[in-house]
Amino acid sequence: MNWMGNLQQLGRSLMLPTITLPVAAILLRLGTLPWQEAGLPRIGEILLLLGGSIFTYLPLIFAVGVALGLTESAGIAGMSALIGHYMFSESLQRYLGESFQLGVPGGILIGLIAAVIYHRVKHVQLPESIQFFGGPRLVPLFMGLAIFLLVLLTLEIGPLLENGMQALTDFILGLGGFGTFLYGIIHRLLVPSGLHHVFNNFFWFQLGAYEPQGVPVFGDLPRFFAGDPSAGIYMAGLYPIMMFALPAIALAIIQEAREDLKPKIRTTFLTAAFACFLTGVTEPIEFAFLFVAPYLFVVHALLSGLAMWIAYALDIHHGFSYSAGAIDYLINLHLAKNGLLLLPIGLAYGLVYYGLFRWAIRRFRLPTPGREEGSQLEEWAGDIPYRSPLILQALGGKENIKNIEACITRLRLTLVNDRQMDIAALKHLGAAGVIRLGGGNVQVVFGTYSELIREEIIKARGKDIQQVMFSSPMQGRMIPLEEVPDKIFAGKLVGNGVAFLPEKGELVAPVSGRIMHLYPTLHALGIETEQGLQVLLHIGIDTAGLQGKYFTSHVKEGDQVEAGQLLIRFNLQKVKNNCKSLATPMLITNVEAVKSWSFAPFKAVKKGQASVMSVVLKNAEAGGGKAHG
């Protein structure tokens, strides 16, 4: 894995420890309620103590969280990080004093060391007599040695490191409003790659120091909750963007959708807007325009930086435990300074974004969701188990996947060869876009169902099944078999499968196999796959009577064909004028050989597009059927 892949995985692992922060914020807010007046002063004290303890042990939480996140939740790695951080911090306090703190970066470093050791030794085989201590059980031993060396190194360079960190902090804070402007731009531009978690970590958990009770607190976020009046400048400006600007984009997308698609788009994007407003989860909205208009994303980044600068110029200090949504805004408002000013700023931003995006969508005819047939935002819920095997195939098959993870809106993958991905098929299956990070590291944006898709793909990878994948035999629109205007095909009396409404007069092989039958009228043919499936392709309805007049075959019986190979050309317009329908069924006639079926969404497809249908086979073989006119 290259450095970009490592950063991608680190970014995801940093999300795990931050899940504890909303708990701290809620407990601290509850602790400020008037318990004294209710005669329960101890309740408030306990709540404040519980919330504050999370921030006190935040470096330790990050050490364990990073170790777990980088080792697929290996308990031995988490335990080793816990022990390692305790040894490390106790040693430094004794020899360098309590004033020396590496804070959250120190915790991340300990977690990284534990993860690296785990991956290095988890497969180590010792002699049989001492194998009990082999493999993952070696991690605590090597962790102790690594911490010993790290302590020696830190004792030598610790003061220099502390001075260097202070100089960097003074420089960044000295940039004032311009520094927050640059932060806002970079933060937004890193969101598509998922690396903003790594970038934010320095600002939120290391930048600046505050000593409320003689114990130093580092980072804009912990300092804000500790009561530092200067904290919150790297969080406040995010509220107008997440609570107002991005929901306004969702409303603009809804208004510019086609009338026939608007009900579905309205449901999807009102949900996304509401989630963004409440919780600050932005990706479902941002990815809706990132891939179709990346220049708009650059404008969005610049405006995000400007919001940070405006908040700084107006001396607004506000913070959050998770993200800049309305929930965090209200819970933490009592700690904010000039926090109410964020509301008029946000309303102004909402109006600017709404007008800008409606104008841009119209002016440049942007294909945002709902503007064209085949919008990727469909109802996923019950469809995931059936679509996931097709997604797995579009990713290059289970042999092409080294590692698969998921965050809120995307799959994070390390592939053997990212060129084996079929990006068109992935978009057909619901992906808003694909981000290549190099070295086989890719991200596929599937929205909030990404984690469920990951689970289904992992299940499919673990099964030893025989699966046959079908590509589209023509360019046009895929439709359910039940929509074919013929009772025999629609009733699945010949076989089961799908159908296509062609836009061009070309039929290509959907699978590799042998041409087992070519009808004399050239309107239909049968292919037998290596696995014994018998596939019927039937061009149009009631086309046998044309006696092959408008058809030209490019294969003959007995030929071996590959998926995507041209089989038959036909005069689309003349066939259309002389038949009942152009609907072209693609059927498996020996349905008794099939255990289960999976279908991609029924919408526009390209000729040869992968993963439009897949079947899992039974062990038994069976015979086939014939076409009719």
Side-chain angles (χ1 to χ4, degrees):
M1 189 184 300
N2 67 356
W3 67 272
M4 184 64 79
N6 286 323
L7 283 177
Q8 178 185 209
Q9 198 170 357
L10 175 61
R12 181 183 178 278
S13 72
L14 291 174
M15 294 178 64
L16 184 61
T18 59
I19 294 172
T20 62
L21 295 179
V23 180
I26 293 171
L27 291 172
L28 290 173
R29 182 67 184 97
L30 292 174
T32 61
L33 296 178
W35 298 105
Q36 189 93 18
E37 298 176 11
L40 299 168
R42 182 169 293 182
I43 299 296
E45 292 175 7
I46 293 173
L47 288 169
L48 290 173
L49 177 63
L50 292 176
S53 65
I54 292 178
F55 285 103
T56 300
Y57 293 102
L58 203 56
L60 182 62
I61 293 171
F62 267 87
V64 176
V66 168
L68 293 175
L70 293 175
T71 59
E72 298 180 357
S73 299
I76 193 75
M79 185 188 74
S80 299
L82 175 66
I83 296 169
H85 189 274
Y86 182 78
M87 292 189 296
F88 183 67
S89 58
E90 286 292 308
S91 300
L92 294 188
Q93 283 186 20
R94 176 166 182 172
Y95 291 104
L96 294 179
E98 291 190 2
S99 62
F100 181 83
Q101 297 280 344
L102 287 182
V104 168
I108 294 172
L109 177 61
I110 300 297
L112 283 170
I113 292 172
V116 170
I117 293 174
Y118 172 81
H119 286 296
R120 292 289 184 183
V121 306
K122 63 181 178 180
H123 297 303
V124 170
Q125 296 286 329
L126 297 178
E128 187 175 350
S129 58
I130 57 172
Q131 177 54 31
F132 174 81
F133 298 101
R137 294 186 184 91
L138 283 170
V139 178
L141 173 62
F142 280 95
M143 190 68 186
L145 296 174
I147 294 301
F148 169 70
L149 296 175
L150 182 61
V151 167
L152 292 180
L153 178 64
T154 307
L155 291 178
E156 293 297 323
I157 69 170
L160 293 175
L161 189 65
E162 191 173 28
N163 292 336
M165 189 66 71
Q166 185 61 48
L168 178 61
T169 297
D170 292 342
F171 172 74
I172 294 176
L173 292 176
L175 293 174
F178 183 67
T180 62
F181 172 69
L182 292 178
Y183 164 80
I185 294 174
I186 298 171
H187 165 85
R188 209 80 251 147
L189 292 176
L190 288 176
V191 166
S193 66
L195 298 181
H196 58 300
H197 299 298
V198 180
F199 178 71
N200 288 338
N201 199 271
F202 173 78
F203 289 87
W204 291 352
F205 299 109
Q206 186 60 36
L207 189 66
Y210 179 59
E211 295 188 22
Q213 296 174 343
V215 179
V217 177
F218 297 95
D220 205 43
L221 193 153
R223 287 192 293 114
F224 174 77
F225 284 97
D228 186 352
S230 67
I233 61 174
Y234 289 99
M235 294 181 284
L238 295 174
Y239 278 107
I241 301 300
M242 297 182 181
M243 287 176 58
F244 297 95
L246 285 164
I249 296 175
L251 295 179
I253 289 173
I254 292 170
Q255 290 301 315
E256 292 302 320
R258 279 172 27 186
E259 288 302 319
D260 57 326
L261 298 176
K262 190 170 287 187
K264 183 182 292 185
I265 296 301
R266 183 183 294 114
T267 300
T268 301
F269 273 91
L270 281 180
T271 301
F274 196 55
C276 186
F277 174 77
L278 283 178
T279 67
V281 176
T282 65
E283 282 96 332
I285 297 174
E286 288 179 311
F287 285 134
F289 68 91
L290 168 63
F291 298 103
V292 298
Y295 52 87
L296 266 183
F297 197 86
V298 174
V299 174
H300 169 48
L302 291 170
L303 289 173
S304 296
L306 183 60
M308 299 290 297
W309 202 341
I310 291 172
Y312 181 88
L314 295 177
D315 197 26
I316 300 173
H317 298 259
H318 206 327
F320 47 77
S321 60
Y322 175 69
S323 191
I327 295 175
D328 256 306
Y329 177 83
L330 293 173
I331 288 176
N332 305 315
L333 185 59
H334 69 290
L335 295 171
K337 178 182 179 183
N338 297 328
L340 291 176
L341 289 178
L342 292 172
L343 298 180
I345 295 172
L347 288 171
Y349 255 77
L351 291 173
V352 169
Y353 267 67
Y354 180 77
L356 171 65
F357 274 79
R358 286 204 69 176
W359 172 81
I361 291 169
R362 286 186 181 182
R363 174 66 178 81
F364 302 107
R365 299 180 181 178
L366 302 179
T368 50
R371 296 274 291 174
E372 58 181 10
E373 199 68 41
S375 168
Q376 307 300 329
L377 291 161
E378 303 182 46
E379 188 58 48
W380 272 80
D383 198 26
I384 292 174
Y386 306 102
R387 206 181 299 193
S388 295
L390 299 170
I391 294 172
L392 175 59
Q393 187 65 23
L395 290 170
K398 61 183 181 180
E399 296 81 8
N400 195 40
I401 297 178
K402 286 184 180 179
N403 184 54
I404 178 169
E405 299 290 347
C407 61
I408 296 172
T409 56
R410 58 191 117 180
L411 294 179
R412 297 169 179 260
L413 302 121
T414 304
L415 303 179
V416 176
N417 184 358
D418 58 9
R419 293 184 180 180
Q420 292 184 20
M421 280 192 307
D422 190 325
I423 295 177
L426 288 169
K427 291 183 177 180
H428 180 65
L429 291 164
V434 177
I435 303 170
R436 281 191 168 102
L437 298 174
N441 297 286
V442 299
Q443 296 180 1
V444 187
V445 181
F446 278 113
T448 52
Y449 289 104
S450 295
E451 182 61 41
L452 296 176
I453 296 171
R454 172 185 173 270
E455 291 176 5
E456 290 296 328
I457 289 177
I458 288 174
K459 289 179 186 177
R461 290 178 70 196
K463 295 176 182 176
D464 187 16
I465 58 176
Q466 194 172 21
Q467 192 171 33
V468 180
M469 310 296 298
F470 288 77
S471 302
S472 173
M474 51 180 47
Q475 178 174 316
R477 180 175 179 80
M478 189 169 82
I479 61 173
L481 204 58
E482 293 81 1
E483 293 183 12
V484 175
D486 181 277
K487 291 182 180 179
I488 296 178
F489 283 126
K492 302 181 181 178
L493 300 179
V494 179
N496 194 10
V498 295
F500 301 84
L501 296 174
E503 295 176 354
K504 291 185 177 181
E506 291 183 334
L507 181 77
V508 300
V511 288
S512 299
R514 178 180 63 87
I515 303 295
M516 63 181 204
H517 189 65
L518 178 63
Y519 286 75
T521 51
L522 305 182
H523 74 292
L525 55 77
I527 301 175
E528 184 172 29
T529 71
E530 179 185 351
Q531 298 84 0
L533 283 182
Q534 296 174 4
V535 182
L536 171 67
L537 298 164
H538 192 287
I539 302 172
I541 305 302
D542 293 343
T543 49
L546 298 178
Q547 297 298 312
K549 188 174 180 182
Y550 306 118
F551 300 86
T552 303
S553 175
H554 289 260
V555 293
K556 60 183 183 299
E557 288 186 6
D559 283 357
Q560 287 291 135
V561 295
E562 298 294 327
Q565 182 176 332
L566 179 63
L567 302 176
I568 294 174
R569 274 201 173 95
F570 57 97
N571 189 311
L572 181 70
Q573 195 58 46
K574 290 185 178 179
V575 171
K576 180 179 180 180
N577 294 338
N578 291 278
C579 71
K580 181 178 180 180
S581 170
L582 281 175
T584 300
M586 178 179 73
L587 309 173
I588 295 175
T589 57
N590 53 340
V591 292
E592 60 273 23
V594 177
K595 180 180 180 181
S596 63
W597 306 73
S598 296
F599 303 101
F602 295 100
K603 55 186 179 183
V605 292
K606 300 292 185 183
K607 178 183 67 177
Q609 182 172 306
S611 305
V612 298
M613 182 178 85
S614 77
V615 296
V616 175
L617 304 183
K618 298 177 182 177
N619 293 327
E621 297 182 5
K626 291 185 178 181
H628 74 291

